[in-house]
Amino acid sequence: MIGRRAALAAVILLSPLAARAAEAPSGAAACSGCHAAGTSVDTPVPPLAGRHPLELYGALQAFKTGQRQGTIMDRIAKGFTDDELKSIAEWYGAQKE
Amino acid sequence: MRNRRDFLKTGVGVAATGLFPHVAIGQTASPKVVVIGGGFAGATCARMLKRLDPRIAITLVEQNPVFTACPFSNEVLAGLRDIKDQEFDYKKIVGDGVNLAVMAATGIDHQARTVSLSDGSTLAYDRLVVAPGVDFRWDALPGYTEAAAERMPHAWKAGAQTLLLRQHLEAMEDGGLVVIAAPANPYRCPPGPYERASLIAHYLKAKKPKSKIVILDTKDAFSKQKLFEEGWKALYPGLVEWVPLSQGGKVTSVEPASMTVATDFDKHKPAVANIIPPQKAGKIAELAGVADRTGWCPIDPLTFASTLQPNIHVIGDAAIAGAMPKSAFAANSQAKVCAAAVAKLLAGGTVAENKLVNTCYSLVAPDYGITVAGVYHPVNGQLVDVEGAGGTSPVNAPATTRALEASLANGWFKTITGEVFG
Ligand SMILES: Cc1cc2nc3c(=O)[nH]c(=O)nc-3n(C[C@H](O)[C@H](O)[C@H](O)COP(=O)(O)OP(=O)(O)OC[C@H]3O[C@@H](n4cnc5c(N)ncnc54)[C@H](O)[C@@H]3O)c2cc1C
């Protein structure tokens, strides 16, 4: 049984798609209104899926504190707690590009 | 959108191995969801729900085979864009496994849990999502009937009305007066009338510079007001005049035959009249018993479940979403939260709190964009602004910032329509 659970855990870790099926954390669903899921959309907004969670979290923190200027992300990042931003960064990090 | 097929395959596979803890293994009958309205709210919800749980049987009921989007339709009025660029079909959504009924929903039976359709057939549901957008209050403004809208277009549902208002603007002689009547809150797209005035001004400045636009308003303040006024002063000096409620801006009646737009103090005789009438939730909301006396639909902000009827959710313009404005962005954002909640509830789970986001881009000119944004969370059953977040673009920003926001506005439209229909 332990073996099976470990195997399933490995599947989850290795497969971003399984993670995608996991529930989106609070707020994450709204980001895809601007950050396209794929690269096929012609937009200057950078994609989030599959990027390193630390990189995403770092950027979100920088917007939140005002260290990094944006046209819009500062206003959005300020609406989330650090924990929420962390969960969102991890979730997007686990999405397939 | 990438990897949908892979995802669906994986999703099904995972479900089959029982990895979804909330799914009783061996459960056979698939739950049924009906979504009424294939706009930004309903189409998003149907599609996301299918993606979250492919076993749910979802039927999207939409009266038009082709959806014509309102965002960016003000560019069509200004001759900057083709109406074709506003049109989207449901092929990809059907390709994802959502059933489409191109019909009008005509009634709801709460006891039997069925929706009746315009062809006389019925659809059963375990949960129903009502997303019909807005309807106009044809009884609210004396003289403004459906027939009057042929002479004085509202162009507040995109399509034929947009093209009609465009024709009127094209036919107008230089030096003509354009009147835009803006309604009281709440209504679809709070910055919309002012974006419209801006882009019509952009057209008139180039083609008919002696003309004038007067906005007759039933309000004393409006969305992104400082930014719009700054833009008008810089780009269209003397061309746009705004008459607030306190200065007699409220239109009290119209007479299409003589092209008269009356306020308590004045009778305007414009060459082009754009009357944006007061609104309410789409009629089916009333028939479903989910609209209250305001004409809009109260909801629980955690799940978007109606507070008036069981097993029915309301999203998009029709819903009373507290501080969230009635926008395509908000409709899409609400639809994703609602889809997750419906999937969870059907599986017997409890729904966790979710924050929502809205951003409205407006164009003061094709290369001059401005925004208002908000982050929202449920407090005591209402969606309220998260303090310290959101707000508008800065005033006195350089032209480069305005140009960047204009290009981001275009990007947003492509991204959101891609997510919903592409
Ligand atoms: C000029 C203008 C500019 C705008 N610009 C922006 C913008 O820049 N950004 C932004 O975010 N928002 C903008 N909006 C607002 C945006 O268009 C709406 O908020 C959005 O469309 C709401 O989505 P919805 O799904 O609730 O309604 P809709 O998109 O109107 O969809 C409702 C659908 O339900 C269908 N329907 C209704 N009743 C029935 C029935 N009984 N049976 C079957 N089908 C039915 C309708 O045919 C329609 O397709 C703008 C609006 C206007 C008018």
Side-chain angles (χ1 to χ4, degrees):
Chain A
M1 208 55 231
I2 286 165
R4 177 152 180 262
R5 201 179 291 155
L8 287 178
V11 170
I12 293 173
L13 286 178
L14 292 176
S15 162
L17 292 174
R20 163 132 206 183
E23 275 166 47
S26 175
C31 317
S32 58
C34 290
H35 292 274
T39 46
S40 61
V41 179
D42 173 24
T43 170
V45 182
L48 302 177
R51 297 184 42 191
H52 200 289
L54 282 179
E55 184 197 1
L56 296 176
Y57 181 66
L60 289 165
Q61 269 300 329
F63 284 125
K64 186 178 168 180
T65 59
Q67 244 172 304
R68 180 168 165 191
Q69 301 230 311
T71 57
I72 190 86
M73 277 314 297
D74 46 346
R75 287 179 264 159
I76 292 174
K78 286 188 174 88
F80 294 92
T81 65
D82 294 353
D83 277 349
E84 286 170 334
L85 292 179
K86 223 170 270 175
S87 305
I88 294 173
E90 274 163 14
W91 190 76
Y92 272 106
Q95 308 295 301
K96 208 169 171 182
E97 291 157 63
Chain B
M1 303 192 98
R2 82 241 150 28
N3 285 324
R4 182 168 311 121
R5 200 175 292 144
D6 287 355
F7 166 64
L8 279 183
K9 257 195 248 150
T10 316
V12 171
V14 169
T17 63
L19 244 189
F20 280 116
H22 51 265
V23 175
I25 297 174
Q27 179 179 317
T28 46
S30 50
K32 293 188 188 67
V33 172
V34 175
V35 180
I36 300 176
F40 283 98
T44 304
C45 188
R47 193 172 208 186
M48 289 300 149
L49 192 53
K50 193 71 193 172
R51 229 174 273 178
L52 284 168
D53 193 340
R55 294 156 313 135
I56 302 175
I58 301 162
T59 306
L60 178 61
V61 181
E62 165 56 53
Q63 57 201 357
N64 299 314
V66 172
F67 178 73
T68 309
C70 286
F72 275 82
S73 67
N74 286 330
E75 279 211 340
V76 177
L77 294 178
L80 296 161
R81 196 178 173 89
D82 198 294
I83 192 86
K84 289 261 172 307
D85 298 331
Q86 300 300 109
E87 294 175 349
F88 301 90
D89 66 34
Y90 295 93
K91 287 198 186 82
K92 294 280 175 55
I93 295 176
V94 170
D96 280 359
V98 171
N99 304 310
L100 177 71
V102 183
M103 255 174 275
T106 52
I108 279 109
D109 182 333
H110 298 109
Q111 248 67 53
R113 273 196 261 147
T114 54
V115 176
S116 50
L117 303 180
S118 42
D119 71 345
S121 64
T122 57
L123 289 169
Y125 65 82
D126 295 302
R127 287 199 173 258
L128 171 65
V129 178
V130 175
V134 297
D135 266 329
F136 302 114
R137 292 181 179 275
W138 293 112
D139 55 349
L141 177 60
Y144 199 64
T145 58
E146 282 193 77
E150 295 301 308
R151 286 294 299 276
M152 300 177 156
H154 52 76
W156 219 242
K157 290 188 183 186
Q161 276 277 314
T162 313
L163 295 175
L164 187 63
L165 183 54
R166 171 69 189 152
Q167 280 165 22
H168 289 191
L169 289 165
E170 279 185 293
M172 186 180 84
E173 314 240 318
D174 191 6
L177 171 66
V178 179
V179 160
I180 299 175
N185 293 318
Y187 63 98
R188 155 176 288 182
C189 196
Y194 315 96
E195 178 189 68
R196 173 168 290 177
S198 307
L199 292 177
I200 292 177
H202 176 82
Y203 164 71
L204 295 178
K205 186 183 170 184
K207 298 286 164 67
K208 298 165 188 180
K210 288 184 286 203
S211 312
K212 194 167 173 191
I213 302 169
V214 172
I215 306 168
L216 297 174
D217 213 328
T218 311
K219 300 182 288 300
D220 277 323
F222 60 88
S223 175
K224 291 180 265 194
Q225 183 167 350
K226 281 205 183 96
L227 293 167
F228 276 113
E229 288 177 338
E230 179 188 47
W232 293 340
K233 211 167 145 194
L235 302 178
Y236 317 116
L239 221 161
V240 182
E241 184 193 344
W242 176 62
V243 186
L245 174 70
S246 57
Q247 284 165 40
K250 183 183 177 175
V251 173
T252 50
S253 70
V254 298
E255 198 184 78
S258 59
M259 279 298 278
T260 307
V261 178
T263 64
D264 279 336
F265 303 97
D266 259 319
K267 275 195 160 66
H268 299 267
K269 296 259 184 193
V272 176
N274 169 216
I275 308 294
I276 305 166
Q279 296 150 38
K280 59 181 180 180
K283 184 164 160 238
I284 191 71
E286 201 178 311
L287 297 175
V290 291
D292 70 13
R293 284 159 73 192
T294 65
W296 306 101
C297 308
I299 48 95
D300 162 14
L302 232 54
T303 57
F304 286 86
S306 166
T307 58
L308 302 179
Q309 297 291 344
N311 307 311
I312 305 184
H313 300 249
V314 186
I315 50 175
D317 285 355
I320 300 174
M324 283 188 104
K326 299 187 186 303
S327 72
F329 194 110
N332 170 267
S333 184
Q334 292 166 8
K336 288 182 270 191
V337 168
C338 179
V342 167
K344 197 74 188 242
L345 291 169
L346 285 171
T350 44
V351 176
E353 191 174 302
N354 227 307
K355 281 184 176 163
L356 292 104
V357 177
N358 177 62
T359 304
C360 286
Y361 284 97
S362 296
L363 296 174
V364 181
D367 60 351
Y368 190 122
I370 55 176
T371 44
V372 59
V375 182
Y376 309 89
H377 62 157
V379 175
N380 298 330
Q382 294 295 326
L383 279 170
V384 303
D385 280 292
V386 174
E387 263 178 63
T392 65
S393 316
V395 283
N396 292 320
T400 48
T401 303
R402 304 298 188 218
L404 182 55
E405 290 222 282
S407 95
L408 288 165
N410 277 281
W412 165 76
F413 185 72
K414 287 179 199 150
T415 301
I416 198 162
T417 53
E419 181 176 59
V420 183
F421 299 102

